[in-house]
Amino acid sequence: MEISTTTPVAATTGSQKTPPGSGASALVETLVNLGVDTVFGYPGGAVLPIYDALYSENRLHHVLVRHEQAAVHAAEGYARSTGKPGVVVVTSGPGMSNTTTGLLDAISDSIPIICISGQVAKPLIGTQAFQECDAIGIAKTVTKWQTQIQSIEEVIQCTEEAYHRAVSGRPGPVLIDFPKDIQAELIDSSAKSSFREASSSAAISDLDIGQAVELILGAKKPIIYGGGGLINSGTPACDAFARFVRMTKAPCTLTLMGLGAFSGSHPQFIGMPGMHGTLEANLALHDSDLIVCVGARFDDRVTGDVETFAPHSKKIHIDIDPTSINRLVRVDVGLAGDCGEVLSKLIRALEKQARTLPEIQPWWQQIHRWQKVESLKFDTKEDTIVPQALITAIQNATVGTNPIIATDVGQHQMWAAQHFIFEKPGHWLTSGGAGTMGYGLPAAIGAQIAHPDKTVICVSGDASILMNIQELSTAIQHKTPVKLILSNNECMGMVRQWQEFNHGGRYSHSYTEALPDFVSVAKGFGWEAEQVSKPDGLDEAILRCLKHDGPYFLEVAVEKQENCFPMMPAGVPHNQILLREGEFYQDDTT
């Protein structure tokens, strides 16, 4: 065997540093120039040059998470609450592959994320080198764009392009795969990017706007249906939406992802639609003669059976993504463009009309009759806290403070959507399209990093919190005073509910045995923590939680068998709603 006496290329000494003119430094500098101020990540061998460049970079706040999935969820919470893209840095191999669930969540809910994954050195790619993976292949189905940097000359351009692709059009996650040798390579100090942002989509024709105006002016039973695209478009779009709703005097419903785009306390807001939406929202959609859909995509959780969805209505669809229009539900007028811009044009066109909007008072009288059913009403119990009462107690304790609410996924998520009142966009963080358990805590931490002076509350379930419970440590390290309120029913509540309704009550593996002592676990991570199980102690426990200066873990033992209502069973029309146990409401007005 011949033994080489040359120093391996990868070998370094303790005194060496990543050069200031390296590819890694160029990446960091470009991020700063693009306005990035926060990065979520976890280091490893293939991104050490980037972490070395971050070592003395005081313009970027790096948040060390405990799992790469959580890095993406934290970046989502940051992005959703600020309107700016979230940035993630992870190492190669398992570091990159661990982000996949987070990236899936981000693309499902149109959240702008820039994920930078380290990669083995270019000569080793394809050799099954240590911690190598096909990052581009893995990312293709969970990102809207992905690229691998091939040369030092591409670093600045790829970073700029990734940023603009993440935020342009329908926002979403992008991936830059960055080989380690190029990270360490020196870059020409005069290097510049040749990236040019693509021109915006074609203007909407006056004819299309005119057709939409005619439908609005002719409607006797209109409903305005808004979604997460409004939040993504920003505050101006939400302001235009609110103006449009008030102008038309029509009822407004918002999807799970759209909550906060219009004031939840406004009398024109009739609640969330869909599987666990309010009776009045679902029946108004079903009986309407016009649906104006803004920034939503007619998701199956909203439409139910597409063939029977809103059978008597004309439909106008406003969406940034042209491929979303007519994909699931055929519409009469499709307006592809930014929600705020299209709504502004629509408002101006309506204002120019000599005709007044039609009288819809009879429509509102019908809606008020549905509201009197009180579909969100629930019964309390003397000795047990019901989950709806828990959410209502948090809502009452935070009136006027506009906290940021993050949730995990399951029954508690639906109860939170039903019983919290959101007045502004960016205050509701939840996983919609992917339904990702483990989202809530890291998303809350990301939002708290972005808004250190705001109250950020994570509502979680006993099954969901175990998915990313290690992030309790992240909150302590970065001094984020997140309030985590755990609704503990000792089971996977939504799974149990579906098994009860659809599988003959065969509760196959939906109950969790050997749950930890959550209070002790939280205290072990450095959180203040307590448990409450009786209704008469709930309000005071919530106040202690909210008033505490640091992170606080409040475990609330809730009724184990409680089901989430109202419920629109799968595959039925919107006029067939299960209100409560054994109480089925069917509307036959049409």
Side-chain angles (χ1 to χ4, degrees):
M1 177 186 293
E2 182 178 347
I3 300 176
S4 172
T5 57
T6 59
T7 303
V9 173
T12 61
T13 65
S15 62
Q16 290 179 317
K17 295 181 180 179
T18 300
S22 66
S25 297
L27 170 85
V28 170
E29 186 68 27
T30 306
L31 290 174
V32 170
N33 291 339
L34 289 166
V36 174
D37 56 22
T38 303
V39 175
F40 302 88
Y42 199 94
V47 283
L48 287 183
I50 295 176
Y51 273 84
D52 206 33
L54 289 169
Y55 181 73
S56 57
E57 179 51 75
N58 56 17
R59 294 172 296 175
L60 282 178
H61 177 199
H62 180 275
V63 179
L64 177 65
V65 297
R66 302 304 188 261
H67 192 283
E68 291 87 354
Q69 176 190 344
V72 183
H73 293 328
E76 287 184 277
Y78 173 93
R80 189 78 173 169
S81 65
T82 63
K84 299 192 293 184
V87 180
V88 174
V89 178
V90 296
T91 193
S92 61
M96 183 276 147
S97 65
N98 279 346
T99 67
T100 307
T101 299
L103 295 174
L104 170 65
D105 194 87
I107 200 166
S108 298
D109 290 341
S110 305
I111 310 300
I113 298 293
I114 302 163
C115 182
I116 300 153
S117 62
Q119 182 57 276
V120 300
K122 277 190 70 179
L124 296 177
I125 293 176
T127 67
Q128 295 187 336
F130 176 68
Q131 290 194 334
E132 180 194 0
C133 76
D134 179 6
I136 301 300
I138 291 172
K140 276 186 177 177
T141 62
V142 292
T143 56
K144 61 181 287 192
W145 181 79
Q146 59 290 137
T147 190
Q148 185 180 82
I149 295 176
Q150 297 295 317
S151 68
I152 191 69
E153 291 78 18
E154 294 179 3
V155 174
I156 299 174
Q157 177 177 329
C158 283
T159 308
E160 290 182 348
E161 185 168 3
Y163 183 97
H164 288 289
R165 284 184 180 267
V167 300
S168 63
R170 179 182 175 184
V174 299
L175 177 87
I176 301 174
D177 196 43
F178 200 170
K180 186 176 181 180
D181 54 337
I182 302 177
Q183 294 175 38
E185 189 175 341
L186 292 178
I187 191 169
D188 189 329
S189 60
S190 63
K192 294 181 180 179
S193 171
S194 60
F195 170 71
R196 295 292 179 268
E197 188 174 357
S199 59
S200 59
S201 57
I204 295 168
S205 72
D206 291 340
L207 177 62
D208 290 336
I209 292 291
Q211 289 177 340
V213 167
E214 286 300 313
L215 290 178
I216 294 168
L217 291 173
K220 297 293 180 64
K221 297 194 291 183
I223 183 169
I224 315 299
Y225 156 48
L230 284 162
I231 310 289
N232 291 337
S233 187
T235 300
C238 294
D239 290 343
F241 181 76
R243 185 180 174 191
F244 178 69
V245 172
R246 291 193 295 266
M247 171 186 281
T248 62
K249 299 181 181 178
C252 171
T253 183
L254 296 169
T255 68
L256 180 72
M257 299 307 296
L259 295 174
F262 184 72
S263 169
S265 62
H266 195 281
Q268 284 176 255
F269 181 63
I270 60 172
M272 182 178 71
M275 181 169 288
H276 292 290
T278 63
L279 177 75
E280 52 268 32
N282 282 321
L283 293 184
L285 280 170
H286 183 79
D287 287 356
S288 66
D289 62 4
L290 175 67
I291 295 174
V292 183
C293 175
V294 186
R297 55 190 175 90
F298 293 103
D299 178 76
D300 63 284
R301 284 295 177 104
V302 170
T303 64
D305 179 14
V306 173
E307 296 300 319
T308 59
F309 174 71
H312 309 290
S313 75
K314 300 288 186 180
K315 299 172 183 69
I316 300 168
H317 191 180
I318 301 170
D319 202 285
I320 190 72
D321 181 5
T323 66
S324 290
I325 297 173
N326 288 318
R327 182 170 60 194
L328 296 172
V329 172
R330 298 296 300 178
V331 301
D332 298 274
V333 178
L335 302 173
D338 176 79
C339 293
E341 295 174 8
V342 177
L343 285 169
S344 295
K345 291 180 180 180
L346 205 51
I347 290 168
R348 288 195 297 270
L350 283 167
E351 288 174 337
K352 290 178 182 178
Q353 281 289 330
R355 288 183 290 163
T356 59
L357 287 161
E359 173 58 52
I360 60 170
Q361 191 57 34
W363 178 225
W364 270 111
Q365 289 172 354
Q366 175 62 67
I367 290 170
H368 291 326
R369 285 194 289 271
W370 292 327
Q371 288 176 323
K372 287 179 181 178
V373 175
E374 296 183 285
S375 62
L376 297 183
K377 183 172 63 176
F378 59 91
D379 296 323
T380 58
K381 298 186 178 182
E382 281 190 19
D383 297 326
T384 308
I385 299 169
V386 296
Q388 304 95 315
L390 167 60
I391 302 300
T392 302
I394 303 169
Q395 167 64 33
N396 292 340
T398 57
V399 169
T401 64
N402 285 318
I404 294 174
I405 305 291
T407 77
D408 271 295
V409 169
Q411 287 178 316
H412 67 272
Q413 176 191 31
M414 294 298 103
W415 282 313
Q418 291 172 342
H419 295 282
F420 278 124
I421 299 172
F422 297 98
E423 301 290 352
K424 296 179 180 179
H427 287 66
W428 168 244
L429 314 174
T430 199
S431 172
T436 307
M437 295 170 68
Y439 169 92
L441 175 57
I445 291 171
Q448 189 78 82
I449 292 287
H451 306 279
D453 297 326
K454 283 186 177 292
T455 298
V456 179
I457 301 169
C458 172
V459 178
S460 189
D462 51 282
S464 283
I465 191 60
L466 289 173
M467 293 282 187
N468 273 316
I469 199 167
Q470 73 284 339
E471 299 311 312
L472 294 173
S473 176
T474 301
I476 292 295
Q477 177 171 341
H478 295 281
K479 298 179 174 61
T480 56
V482 170
K483 315 306 178 192
L484 195 154
I485 301 180
L486 182 68
S487 177
N488 187 352
N489 61 3
E490 299 183 8
C491 69
M492 303 171 204
M494 193 62 82
V495 174
R496 183 202 55 75
Q497 179 170 335
W498 277 68
Q499 287 174 336
E500 178 180 332
F501 291 158
N502 300 325
H503 299 279
R506 294 181 293 279
Y507 303 122
S508 179
H509 304 288
S510 55
Y511 279 88
T512 307
E513 294 184 3
L515 280 172
D517 177 344
F518 284 111
V519 170
S520 295
V521 169
K523 287 184 175 180
F525 275 105
W527 287 53
E528 188 62 42
E530 67 172 301
Q531 192 219 48
V532 60
S533 59
K534 298 298 181 183
D536 58 4
L538 179 60
D539 290 340
E540 290 184 1
I542 289 173
L543 288 177
R544 284 192 296 273
C545 173
L546 296 176
K547 289 180 178 180
H548 186 67
D549 288 339
Y552 200 103
F553 191 113
L554 175 62
E555 179 188 2
V556 182
V558 299
E559 170 58 46
K560 298 177 184 180
Q561 299 296 324
E562 192 75 10
N563 286 324
C564 186
F565 297 108
M567 180 178 179
M568 184 175 68
V572 304
H574 275 64
N575 63 339
Q576 299 178 28
I577 308 293
L578 188 61
L579 290 177
R580 298 170 192 91
E581 299 283 358
E583 188 177 344
F584 211 84
Y585 185 99
Q586 180 161 344
D587 178 69
D588 297 314
T589 58
T590 59

